[in-house]
């Protein structure tokens, strides 16, 4: 089967084997990438039109109890200037975002023990009461099923938890022994069981990653059927053991975005900040490869510079309103429109 035939096969809703997917990833050409992107855009337009959904990202704490080897805010990094946002600061971000047109707020942070279940429930329930028409997304790591249920009952709708890699051996190379892929996947199953719109995902080009690993990720996504998938290129951070590793590439990330769209046509698929970090128009290229979500940072400017998961992250000093305006203009220039909409998962054909 040629690469073109493999891509067509995926576009018809058929899965390939791990060996076939790995071979496609290993031998793809630029022509293959562009061909897959065209098919992916067609599917995105079928289910979501030419709409791009903005999510207001609030990075409310950069404390983390974990020591993931790739992460700039890992517990062992003594050079990080740590911060925790106060509830009123978080609510002020939501207020500004709502007035600006955001209808989804994403509370993202390290696994910070200070923000226990009671504090998270209070944050979620307050935001839910103040903005009943908005979606609330959490991205705060591994918790018990009981904790996830409490957040859901308080009003959270979505939860982002990248699986990072579907290969246990690869997972162990990226994380300390206290963390396991088994527990990570348990968390994702629990979230889906509870009723969250659930998001997984991985870094592209992470240390020790092989084409077989990425093929396993694609097969996991095809089987798990998450409502969201977040991928972006691996970018090293200078205060980690992977500081000298090569970053993931734009081309590989774009191709995987397209393949994910072909494998799971209805998925909500962000064009990530990391894409815009490695190439100035990376997010726009991500949209042209099949993405339909962008997550502008609406955190306070003086805190953004300290939430650095990787080096050279864009937007850490930008004025939020001006940055949003420029991004909307650049998205319009490629034929898509940012809408003021929750942008929920498409359960039925709408277009």
């Amino acid at each position: 089967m040629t690469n073109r035939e493999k891509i067509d096969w995926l576009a018809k809703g058929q899965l390939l084997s791990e060996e076939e997917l790995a071979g496609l990833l290993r031998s793809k050409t630029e022509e293959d990438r562009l061909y897959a992107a065209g098919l992916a855009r067609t599917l995105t337009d079928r289910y979501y039109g030419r709409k791009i959904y903005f999510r207001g990202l609030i990075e409310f704490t950069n404390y983390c109890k974990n020591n993931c080897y790739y992460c700039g805010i890992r517990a062992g990094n003594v050079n990080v200037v740590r911060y925790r946002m106060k509830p009123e600061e978080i609510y002020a971000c939501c207020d500004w975002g709502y007035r600006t047109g955001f209808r989804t707020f994403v509370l993202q942070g390290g696994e910070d023990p200070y923000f226990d279940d009671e504090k998270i429930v209070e944050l979620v329930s307050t935001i839910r009461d103040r903005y009943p028409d908005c979606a609330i997304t959490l991205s705060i790591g591994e918790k018990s099923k009981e904790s996830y249920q409490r957040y859901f009952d308080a009003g959270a709708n979505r939860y982002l938890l990248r699986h990072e890699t579907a290969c246990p051996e690869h997972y162990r190379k990226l994380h300390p022994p206290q963390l396991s892929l088994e527990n990570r996947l348990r968390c994702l199953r629990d979230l889906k069981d509870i009723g969250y719109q659930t998001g997984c995902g991985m870094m592209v080009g992470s240390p020790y990653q092989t084409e077989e690993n990425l093929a396993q990720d694609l097969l996991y996504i095809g089987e798990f059927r998450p409502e969201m998938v977040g991928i972006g290129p691996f970018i090293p951070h200078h205060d980690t053991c992977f500081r000298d590793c090569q970053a993931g590439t734009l081309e590989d990330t774009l191709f995987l975005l397209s393949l994910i769209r072909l494998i799971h046509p209805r998925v909500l698929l962000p064009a990530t900040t990391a894409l815009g970090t490695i190439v100035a128009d990376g997010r726009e290229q991500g949209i042209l490869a099949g993405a339909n979500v962008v997550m502008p940072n609406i955190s306070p400017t003086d805190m953004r510079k300290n939430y650095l998961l990787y080096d050279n992250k864009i937007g850490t000093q930008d004025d939020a309103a001006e940055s949003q305006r420029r991004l909307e203009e650049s998205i319009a220039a490629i034929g898509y429109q940012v809408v003021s909409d929750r942008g929920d998962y498409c359960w039925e054909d709408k277009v």
Side-chain angles (χ1 to χ4, degrees), residues 252-320:
D252 286 346
T253 307
L254 295 176
F255 190 52
L256 281 157
L257 281 171
S258 297
L259 295 187
I260 290 168
R261 176 65 67 192
L262 298 183
I263 290 169
H264 190 8
R266 300 172 188 263
V267 73
L268 291 161
L269 193 58
T272 60
T273 301
L275 262 180
T277 296
I278 61 171
V279 178
D281 65 342
R283 286 178 291 190
E284 293 82 355
Q285 291 197 51
I287 291 169
L288 293 175
N292 65 330
V293 171
V294 177
M295 298 172 63
N297 196 330
I298 63 172
S299 309
T301 306
D302 60 340
M303 296 179 185
R304 286 185 225 162
K305 64 180 180 294
N306 295 317
Y307 197 91
L308 294 180
L309 308 183
Y310 50 83
D311 284 347
N312 304 313
K313 180 181 174 184
I314 60 170
T316 57
Q317 299 295 329
D318 293 348
D319 174 77

Side-chain angles (χ1 to χ4, degrees), residues 76-88:
N77 185 0
V78 298
N79 296 319
V80 178
V81 178
R82 303 288 178 178
Y83 72 87
R84 294 183 177 109
M85 290 177 63
K86 298 176 182 177
E88 55 267 29

Side-chain angles (χ1 to χ4, degrees), residues 204-223:
V204 180
S206 62
Y208 309 109
Q209 188 179 69
T210 65
E211 285 83 5
E212 285 74 18
N213 294 150
L214 288 169
Q216 292 164 351
D217 291 325
L218 293 174
L219 290 172
Y220 172 71
I221 290 166
E223 177 184 0

Side-chain angles (χ1 to χ4, degrees), residues 160-172:
L160 302 175
L161 184 68
R162 286 188 175 186
H163 68 280
E164 303 299 358
T165 173
C167 171
E169 181 181 355
H170 186 216
Y171 195 92
R172 288 192 291 270

Side-chain angles (χ1 to χ4, degrees), residues 111 141-149 161 163 171 180-194 198 220 224:
E111 292 196 24
E142 298 179 8
K143 308 288 182 180
S144 69
K145 188 171 185 178
E146 291 72 24
S147 294
Y148 289 145
Q149 186 69 59
L161 184 68
H163 68 280
Y171 195 92
S180 72
L181 178 59
E182 180 183 9
N183 191 59
R184 198 77 164 181
L185 299 185
R186 185 274 304 169
C187 289
L188 286 164
R189 290 192 300 271
D190 287 348
L191 290 162
K192 229 174 188 301
D193 288 346
I194 289 168
T198 304
Y220 172 71
F224 183 60

